[in-house]
Amino acid sequence: MVVNRVKFTRDEILNIKSAALAGHNGWDNNPELKKVKDKIKDFSIIKTNERCCYCGRNVKGEFRMVLDIEHILPKSLYLRYMFTMKNLSVACKRCNMSIKKNRVDFLEDSIVLTSKVFKSKHYKFIHPNLDKFDAHLLLAGIQLGKNMIVKYHVVKDSDKGKFNYAYFKLDALEKDSFDRGQGGRKRAEINNQSVRNMFNDLVL
């Protein structure tokens, strides 16, 4: 099934306008947006083929709440794009809430916030709506019993693939899957960058 765009009813469009007038908090504090959000999430899940738009993890068959509606340009900083479909996708909670958050360090310095903001060249990582994930980064998986071992491969030395791999700490997902595949426990990720750097220095 291919979905090209989301169709909203007149009432839903009015709710969108009302939420936008309330600022970025209007996204979270407006119960009238439930149907709008459901349509956005359904559209994005189909478009990503039931994968996180950043790490590519497949969530087919899992509870839909494992994926969040993701604002690629954070709504707190770029209110005008809060309901722009090119700025919306679905991401797992790890990528969305633990890593990306409200960061904008994935933007090229030359970005101009106009109608031309939605150009692939302005984004260092793989943009969920402007780039094809598999053209830059491939996720390979092998099932071992109930455990899945994953490995990422950068396609043709892609700069976006390499940036995406580092930015979303995909090596940690690989290591965790290897640990689990060998019967080990989930590896704790180090979120504090300075502590992470010290740890990397120790293990090199």
Side-chain angles (χ1 to χ4, degrees):
M1 179 181 180
V2 177
V3 177
N4 294 320
R5 61 192 181 94
V6 182
K7 293 182 179 178
F8 296 113
T9 66
R10 181 177 177 277
D11 285 344
E12 288 167 350
I13 291 171
L14 290 175
N15 288 332
I16 287 171
K17 290 180 178 179
S18 174
L21 288 173
H24 73 273
N25 289 324
W27 177 271
D28 298 314
N29 301 329
N30 190 338
E32 300 298 321
L33 284 181
K34 184 181 185 310
K35 289 183 180 179
V36 170
K37 290 180 179 180
D38 285 344
K39 284 185 177 182
I40 291 171
K41 180 173 271 194
D42 290 343
F43 170 85
S44 299
I45 286 174
I46 293 170
K47 191 170 183 180
T48 62
N49 197 25
E50 300 185 60
R51 301 195 301 176
C52 168
C53 68
Y54 294 132
C55 70
R57 184 172 72 88
N58 192 307
V59 296
K60 191 171 184 177
E62 294 187 32
F63 189 51
R64 66 183 269 128
M65 292 304 290
V66 301
L67 290 175
D68 295 330
I69 296 175
E70 162 65 357
H71 290 83
I72 298 150
L73 292 173
K75 61 184 181 293
S76 59
L77 301 175
Y78 303 100
L79 179 62
R80 66 183 294 185
Y81 304 122
M82 187 162 70
F83 290 98
T84 302
M85 290 308 300
K86 284 186 178 179
N87 192 47
L88 296 169
S89 191
V90 283
C92 69
K93 295 187 181 300
R94 173 190 180 272
C95 289
N96 180 29
M97 300 177 70
S98 297
I99 298 176
K100 168 121 175 333
K101 303 178 184 177
N102 288 328
R103 293 166 61 186
V104 291
D105 51 342
F106 55 85
L107 293 172
E108 294 287 358
D109 293 337
S110 61
I111 191 169
V112 179
L113 295 179
T114 65
S115 59
K116 295 182 180 180
V117 68
F118 297 111
K119 298 287 185 182
S120 174
K121 66 181 181 180
H122 296 313
Y123 300 83
K124 297 176 186 176
F125 63 27
I126 304 168
H127 191 288
N129 298 311
L130 306 177
D131 301 305
K132 292 183 179 180
F133 188 95
D134 293 347
H136 300 275
L137 200 59
L138 287 175
L139 171 58
I142 300 173
Q143 189 84 27
L144 287 178
K146 65 179 181 179
N147 297 311
M148 177 70 75
I149 291 179
V150 300
K151 183 73 179 78
Y152 290 88
H153 300 276
V154 175
V155 178
K156 296 180 181 178
D157 206 34
S158 163
D159 288 337
K160 285 200 172 204
K162 288 185 284 189
F163 187 90
N164 217 85
Y165 182 85
Y167 193 86
F168 291 103
K169 304 174 186 175
L170 301 184
D171 61 320
L173 290 182
E174 292 173 330
K175 292 171 185 174
D176 177 49
S177 75
F178 296 153
D179 288 345
R180 287 174 179 265
Q182 297 176 87
R185 290 164 44 180
K186 178 178 174 63
R187 185 176 301 211
E189 292 186 38
I190 303 171
N191 293 319
N192 184 297
Q193 189 59 51
S194 61
V195 175
R196 185 182 177 86
N197 291 338
M198 287 188 286
F199 173 77
N200 288 336
D201 289 339
L202 286 173
V203 300
L204 288 178

